Amino acid sequence: MNYWLFKSEPDEYSLSDLKREPGHTGRWDGIRNYQARNFLRDAVREGDGVLFYHSACKVPAVVGTARIARSAYPDPAQFNPESKYCDPKASAENPRWFCVDIQWQSEFPRPVPLAEIKQNPALEEMVLVKQGRLSIQPVTAQEWALLLKLGGTR
């Protein structure tokens, strides 16, 4: 099992939005960064754990957890000319972009703000601290456990 941090702007798609989806499961789509796409396509697997991170907001923070409910498949938005994520270079035979389905697991009793993460010596090597702009990031088992603890859950 692997662990990941998925970033989302809460006014676009929040942890609460995921929880409101049927079966608490939603499609994680619209990824248009090659490194994040490669993680989704090549490494993210059904059953993996996800830290749900709210970004581009007043207090960016890890706010809860999800799990991967379905491994990578072609993002349908790339084929839809009406979508802002349409990619005319993509085809059904050669898709360029991928998505996964994630399922809500928990909301932290206490969100863990980015400022606190950056100040914690045990998290100084975390991708979020070193390369913060990436929307899909690997997380170590130790980072996962510590963030759950800091968030008030196990």
Side-chain angles (χ1 to χ4, degrees):
M1 178 170 170
N2 292 315
Y3 300 101
W4 304 94
L5 182 139
F6 282 22
K7 293 170 106 178
S8 183
E9 297 176 14
D11 59 344
E12 284 275 325
Y13 193 76
S14 69
L15 183 64
S16 296
D17 293 330
L18 176 61
K19 188 176 182 182
R20 283 192 292 272
E21 297 271 12
H24 305 306
T25 303
R27 179 184 299 146
W28 198 268
D29 58 4
I31 301 301
R32 295 299 182 267
N33 170 284
Y34 286 106
Q35 189 174 5
R37 185 263 334 247
N38 293 348
F39 282 138
L40 283 180
R41 184 191 63 198
D42 302 336
V44 174
R45 296 288 176 256
E46 187 174 328
D48 285 355
V50 174
L51 293 171
F52 202 108
Y53 181 87
H54 284 167
S55 66
C57 55
K58 189 173 183 175
V59 181
V62 177
V63 296
T65 63
R67 73 168 190 85
I68 302 299
R70 180 180 175 192
S71 295
Y73 58 97
D75 184 343
Q78 68 190 310
F79 309 122
N80 180 355
E82 303 297 315
S83 171
K84 68 181 180 179
Y85 297 115
C86 182
D87 185 339
K89 294 180 182 177
S91 68
E93 300 78 30
N94 189 22
R96 294 176 58 143
W97 305 107
F98 293 82
C99 58
V100 296
D101 291 348
I102 68 170
Q103 184 176 50
W104 179 91
Q105 292 295 122
S106 72
E107 182 174 346
F108 285 177
R110 186 185 82 77
V112 185
L114 177 60
E116 181 180 337
I117 292 168
K118 286 182 173 182
Q119 292 173 354
N120 190 316
L123 298 172
E124 67 187 8
E125 295 299 317
M126 194 171 179
V127 175
L128 181 64
V129 173
K130 296 251 184 213
Q131 193 180 356
R133 296 196 50 82
L134 196 57
S135 63
I136 307 289
Q137 308 174 4
V139 173
T140 69
Q142 294 79 15
E143 293 163 348
W144 170 270
L146 179 53
L147 283 161
L148 265 57
K149 182 179 177 184
L150 292 172
T153 190
R154 44 176 196 95

